[in-house]
Amino acid sequence: QVQLEEAGGGLVQAGGSLRLSCVASSSTIFRINHMGWYRQAPGKQRELVARISSDGVTNYADSVKGRFTISRDNARDTVYLQMAYLKPEDTGVYYCNGMIRTAIHNTRDYWGQGTQVTVSS
């Protein structure tokens, strides 16, 4: 069973920075394709924040372009989200996502438990 373990959320003032990390842990991982971050604000649907392919191609939501940077360490099965110039509207639960193939299952989506990011004004 693959687990995505997030870390790095918290409370920060507007204009501040946070770095999220997510590690995929399992002895059966065969290949990790896309990894990404989604967020869900209270009363809103979950939305894509940023995504990165296995060879480093990235895409971002328009609302975070120029402020957030996604990266990954393939050797450590880890994805990062560096968030800068945070705004109150960035507040939400941030979920790590990975499209992962294991020795047992074909490629499928896996999700982390989520980490809270709160930006105060």
Side-chain angles (χ1 to χ4, degrees):
Q1 180 71 12
V2 175
Q3 289 190 325
L4 298 183
E5 301 174 12
E6 300 126 333
L11 172 64
V12 64
Q13 287 188 331
S17 300
L18 280 175
R19 188 192 195 211
L20 306 182
S21 63
C22 170
V23 58
S25 59
S26 171
S27 61
T28 64
I29 290 175
F30 180 73
R31 176 179 171 83
I32 300 178
N33 297 318
H34 284 86
M35 297 191 81
W37 291 94
Y38 290 71
R39 69 185 178 193
Q40 187 165 19
K44 294 188 176 181
Q45 290 187 332
R46 191 175 298 188
E47 61 176 358
L48 174 68
V49 176
R51 189 169 60 177
I52 184 167
S53 70
S54 57
D55 55 0
V57 177
T58 59
N59 62 290
Y60 296 91
D62 287 343
S63 60
V64 307
K65 283 180 181 176
R67 300 187 297 121
F68 291 10
T69 302
I70 190 170
S71 60
R72 64 189 284 173
D73 183 339
N74 290 333
R76 292 182 168 83
D77 293 339
T78 301
V79 63
Y80 304 95
L81 185 67
Q82 180 68 48
M83 304 184 291
Y85 305 105
L86 283 160
K87 304 176 182 180
E89 50 264 45
D90 294 319
T91 294
V93 179
Y94 283 67
Y95 296 92
C96 177
N97 169 262
M99 292 187 65
I100 301 171
R101 179 182 175 186
T102 69
I104 301 171
H105 298 291
N106 289 329
T107 302
R108 51 158 284 191
D109 271 330
Y110 291 88
W111 292 90
Q113 298 268 10
T115 184
Q116 177 70 44
V117 172
T118 303
V119 184
S120 63
S121 56

